[in-house]
Amino acid sequence: VAARQGMETPLKEVAVAFEDLARGMDADGGELRLAPFGDTCALVSVLFSSLGMAFRFAEIEYVTKVNDLIGAGKSYRTLSDILDKDIENDSVKKQGSHSRNLRRVRLGLGLIKALFEQFLTTEGCSLYDAATTAYGQVCAPFHSWAIRKAVGAGMYTLPSREQLIVRLNETDYSVQKEMRRYIDASSPIIEYIDNLFLSRNISLDW
Ligand code: 1PZ
């Protein structure tokens, strides 16, 4: 309906926002400012409703962490600033720290990217298969047994591939186009965040 009325679909809105963010990063000489990053990550939550009720807890989890980063945007200018501050305070991996929340939000962005990649490369595979593979690749290695169990159970409640396309207000063709745009635009952002940690000798095994 939104497409027919000439409005942006949620998926397109997310793709365009990440393209803007990636362009902004280039314009700032390869630096990522916290405020636009937080706002862009917040947009992703519009996609959750199309996954169904079982993923409400993932949404709450993700939104809480994004909101923490948005709040930090009032005191810190860039993503590196929060990391440097947490290194100074020895709180990078401390639960609830901005740096830890940044790592978690990055996992969320990576999960969506992996899901879209699965969706595109395996034409005709179910959303269940795509989401299970993506989760196994990106998030499962860092989640406790209890969380992995809960996510695994929730997977059975995911809509079908066709249902998802309808709920997102896309077509078979447009959904591929917008997912591709998100994959391309989010890749340099994700890589940048990983490098923030790696360049400070913080491994990504957590
Ligand atoms: C793209 C959709 C794929 C299908 C569904 C996959 C669902 C993934 C569910 C993830 C549930 C996360 C539950 C909570 C995990 C927490 O233990 C950790 C650690 O938190 P901390 O100890 O630092 O407080 N939190 C995370 O790892 C955050 C992960 C965010 C996952 C966001 C999912 C984004 C999905 C977007 C869907 C449009």
Coordinates of all heavy atoms in Angstrom, one line a residue, residues 117-156:
E117 N 21.8 -11.5 3.1 CA 22.7 -12.3 2.1 C 22.1 -13.7 1.9 O 22.1 -14.1 0.8 CB 24.1 -12.3 2.7 CG 24.9 -11.0 2.5 CD 26.2 -11.0 3.3 OE1 26.4 -11.8 4.2 OE2 27.0 -10.1 3.0
Q118 N 21.7 -14.3 3.0 CA 21.1 -15.6 2.9 C 19.8 -15.6 2.0 O 19.6 -16.5 1.2 CB 20.7 -16.2 4.3 CG 21.9 -16.6 5.1 CD 22.6 -17.7 4.4 OE1 22.0 -18.7 3.9 NE2 24.0 -17.6 4.4
F119 N 19.0 -14.6 2.3 CA 17.8 -14.4 1.6 C 18.0 -14.3 0.1 O 17.3 -14.8 -0.8 CB 17.1 -13.1 2.1 CG 15.6 -13.1 1.8 CD1 14.7 -13.5 2.8 CD2 15.1 -12.5 0.7 CE1 13.3 -13.5 2.6 CE2 13.7 -12.4 0.4 CZ 12.9 -12.9 1.4
L120 N 19.1 -13.6 -0.3 CA 19.4 -13.3 -1.7 C 20.1 -14.5 -2.4 O 19.8 -14.8 -3.6 CB 20.2 -12.1 -1.9 CG 19.6 -10.7 -1.4 CD1 20.5 -9.6 -1.7 CD2 18.3 -10.5 -2.2
T121 N 21.0 -15.1 -1.7 CA 21.8 -16.2 -2.4 C 21.1 -17.5 -2.5 O 21.3 -18.2 -3.4 CB 23.2 -16.4 -1.6 OG1 22.9 -16.7 -0.3 CG2 24.1 -15.2 -1.7
T122 N 20.2 -17.7 -1.5 CA 19.5 -19.0 -1.6 C 18.0 -18.8 -2.0 O 17.1 -18.8 -1.2 CB 19.6 -19.7 -0.2 OG1 19.3 -18.8 0.8 CG2 20.9 -20.4 -0.1
E123 N 17.8 -18.5 -3.2 CA 16.5 -18.2 -3.8 C 15.6 -19.4 -3.5 O 15.9 -20.6 -3.7 CB 16.6 -18.1 -5.3 CG 15.4 -17.7 -6.1 CD 15.3 -16.1 -6.1 OE1 16.3 -15.5 -6.3 OE2 14.2 -15.6 -5.9
G124 N 14.5 -19.1 -2.9 CA 13.5 -20.2 -2.6 C 13.7 -20.8 -1.2 O 12.9 -21.6 -0.8
C125 N 14.8 -20.5 -0.5 CA 14.9 -21.1 0.8 C 14.0 -20.4 1.8 O 13.6 -19.2 1.5 CB 16.4 -21.1 1.3 SG 16.8 -19.6 2.3
S126 N 13.6 -21.0 2.8 CA 12.7 -20.4 3.8 C 13.3 -19.3 4.6 O 14.5 -19.3 4.7 CB 12.1 -21.5 4.7 OG 13.1 -22.0 5.5
L127 N 12.5 -18.5 5.2 CA 13.0 -17.5 6.1 C 13.6 -18.2 7.3 O 14.6 -17.7 7.8 CB 11.9 -16.5 6.5 CG 12.3 -15.3 7.4 CD1 13.3 -14.5 6.7 CD2 11.1 -14.5 7.8
Y128 N 13.0 -19.3 7.7 CA 13.6 -20.1 8.8 C 15.0 -20.4 8.5 O 15.9 -20.3 9.4 CB 12.7 -21.3 9.0 CG 13.3 -22.2 10.1 CD1 12.9 -22.1 11.4 CD2 14.2 -23.3 9.7 CE1 13.5 -22.9 12.4 CE2 14.7 -24.1 10.7 CZ 14.4 -23.9 12.0 OH 14.9 -24.7 13.0
D129 N 15.3 -21.0 7.4 CA 16.7 -21.4 7.0 C 17.6 -20.2 7.0 O 18.7 -20.3 7.5 CB 16.7 -22.1 5.7 CG 16.0 -23.5 5.7 OD1 15.9 -24.1 6.9 OD2 15.6 -24.0 4.7
A130 N 17.1 -19.2 6.3 CA 18.0 -18.0 6.2 C 18.3 -17.4 7.5 O 19.5 -17.1 7.8 CB 17.3 -16.9 5.3
A131 N 17.3 -17.3 8.4 CA 17.5 -16.6 9.7 C 18.4 -17.5 10.6 O 19.2 -17.1 11.4 CB 16.2 -16.3 10.4
T132 N 18.1 -18.9 10.5 CA 18.9 -19.8 11.4 C 20.4 -19.8 11.0 O 21.3 -19.7 11.9 CB 18.3 -21.2 11.2 OG1 17.0 -21.2 11.6 CG2 19.1 -22.2 12.1
T133 N 20.7 -19.8 9.7 CA 22.0 -19.7 9.2 C 22.7 -18.4 9.6 O 23.8 -18.3 10.2 CB 22.1 -19.8 7.7 OG1 21.5 -21.1 7.3 CG2 23.5 -19.8 7.2
A134 N 22.0 -17.3 9.4 CA 22.5 -15.9 9.7 C 22.8 -15.8 11.2 O 23.9 -15.4 11.6 CB 21.5 -14.8 9.3
Y135 N 21.8 -16.3 12.1 CA 22.0 -16.2 13.5 C 23.2 -17.0 13.9 O 24.0 -16.6 14.8 CB 20.7 -16.6 14.2 CG 20.9 -16.6 15.7 CD1 20.9 -15.4 16.5 CD2 21.0 -17.8 16.4 CE1 21.1 -15.4 17.8 CE2 21.2 -17.8 17.8 CZ 21.2 -16.6 18.5 OH 21.4 -16.6 19.9
G136 N 23.3 -18.2 13.4 CA 24.4 -19.1 13.7 C 25.8 -18.5 13.4 O 26.7 -18.7 14.1
Q137 N 25.8 -17.8 12.3 CA 27.1 -17.2 11.8 C 27.5 -16.0 12.7 O 28.6 -15.8 13.1 CB 27.0 -16.7 10.4 CG 27.0 -17.8 9.3 CD 26.7 -17.2 7.9 OE1 26.4 -16.0 7.8 NE2 26.9 -18.1 6.9
V138 N 26.5 -15.1 13.0 CA 26.8 -13.8 13.5 C 26.7 -13.7 15.0 O 27.6 -13.2 15.7 CB 26.0 -12.7 12.8 CG1 26.3 -11.3 13.4 CG2 26.2 -12.7 11.3
C139 N 25.6 -14.2 15.6 CA 25.3 -13.9 17.0 C 25.5 -15.1 17.9 O 26.0 -15.0 19.0 CB 23.9 -13.4 17.1 SG 23.6 -11.7 16.6
A140 N 25.1 -16.3 17.4 CA 25.2 -17.5 18.3 C 26.5 -17.7 19.0 O 26.5 -18.1 20.2 CB 24.8 -18.7 17.5
P141 N 27.6 -17.5 18.3 CA 28.9 -17.7 19.0 C 29.1 -16.9 20.3 O 29.9 -17.2 21.1 CB 30.0 -17.3 18.0 CG 29.3 -17.4 16.6 CD 27.8 -17.1 16.9
F142 N 28.3 -15.8 20.4 CA 28.5 -14.9 21.5 C 27.4 -14.9 22.5 O 27.3 -14.2 23.5 CB 28.7 -13.4 21.0 CG 29.7 -13.4 19.9 CD1 29.4 -13.1 18.6 CD2 31.1 -13.6 20.2 CE1 30.3 -13.0 17.6 CE2 32.0 -13.5 19.2 CZ 31.7 -13.3 17.9
H143 N 26.4 -15.8 22.2 CA 25.2 -15.9 23.1 C 25.3 -17.1 24.0 O 25.8 -18.2 23.6 CB 23.9 -15.9 22.3 CG 23.6 -14.6 21.8 ND1 22.6 -14.4 20.8 CD2 24.0 -13.3 22.1 CE1 22.5 -13.1 20.5 NE2 23.3 -12.4 21.3
S144 N 24.7 -17.0 25.2 CA 24.6 -18.1 26.1 C 23.7 -19.2 25.6 O 22.9 -19.0 24.7 CB 24.0 -17.6 27.5 OG 22.7 -17.2 27.3
W145 N 23.8 -20.4 26.2 CA 23.0 -21.5 25.8 C 21.5 -21.2 25.9 O 20.7 -21.5 25.0 CB 23.3 -22.7 26.7 CG 22.6 -24.0 26.3 CD1 22.9 -24.9 25.4 CD2 21.3 -24.4 27.0 NE1 21.9 -25.9 25.4 CE2 21.0 -25.6 26.3 CE3 20.5 -23.9 28.0 CZ2 19.8 -26.3 26.7 CZ3 19.4 -24.6 28.3 CH2 19.0 -25.8 27.7
A146 N 21.1 -20.5 27.0 CA 19.7 -20.2 27.2 C 19.1 -19.3 26.1 O 18.0 -19.5 25.6 CB 19.5 -19.6 28.6
I147 N 19.9 -18.3 25.7 CA 19.5 -17.4 24.7 C 19.4 -18.1 23.3 O 18.4 -18.0 22.6 CB 20.5 -16.2 24.5 CG1 20.5 -15.3 25.8 CG2 20.2 -15.3 23.3 CD1 19.4 -14.3 25.9
R148 N 20.4 -18.9 23.0 CA 20.4 -19.7 21.8 C 19.2 -20.6 21.7 O 18.5 -20.7 20.6 CB 21.7 -20.5 21.6 CG 22.9 -19.7 21.4 CD 24.1 -20.5 20.8 NE 24.4 -21.7 21.5 CZ 25.2 -21.8 22.5 NH1 25.9 -20.8 23.0 NH2 25.4 -23.0 23.1
K149 N 18.8 -21.2 22.8 CA 17.6 -22.1 22.8 C 16.4 -21.3 22.5 O 15.5 -21.7 21.7 CB 17.5 -22.7 24.3 CG 18.1 -24.0 24.4 CD 17.5 -25.0 23.5 CE 17.4 -26.4 24.0 NZ 17.5 -27.3 22.9
A150 N 16.2 -20.1 23.2 CA 15.0 -19.3 23.0 C 14.9 -18.8 21.6 O 13.9 -18.8 21.0 CB 15.1 -18.1 24.0
V151 N 16.1 -18.3 21.0 CA 16.1 -17.9 19.7 C 15.7 -19.0 18.7 O 14.9 -18.8 17.8 CB 17.4 -17.3 19.3 CG1 17.5 -17.0 17.8 CG2 17.7 -16.0 20.1
G152 N 16.2 -20.2 19.0 CA 15.9 -21.4 18.1 C 14.4 -21.7 18.1 O 13.9 -22.0 17.1
A153 N 13.8 -21.6 19.3 CA 12.4 -21.8 19.4 C 11.6 -20.7 18.7 O 10.6 -21.0 18.0 CB 11.9 -21.9 20.9
G154 N 12.0 -19.5 18.8 CA 11.4 -18.4 18.2 C 11.4 -18.5 16.6 O 10.5 -18.0 16.0
M155 N 12.4 -19.1 16.1 CA 12.6 -19.2 14.7 C 11.4 -19.9 14.0 O 11.0 -19.6 12.9 CB 13.9 -20.0 14.3 CG 15.2 -19.3 14.7 SD 15.5 -17.9 13.6 CE 17.1 -17.4 14.2
Y156 N 10.8 -20.8 14.8 CA 9.7 -21.6 14.2 C 8.5 -20.7 14.0 O 7.5 -21.1 13.3 CB 9.3 -22.8 15.1 CG 10.3 -23.9 15.1 CD1 11.2 -24.0 16.2 CD2 10.4 -24.7 14.0 CE1 12.2 -25.0 16.1 CE2 11.4 -25.7 13.9 CZ 12.3 -25.9 15.0 OH 13.2 -26.8 15.0

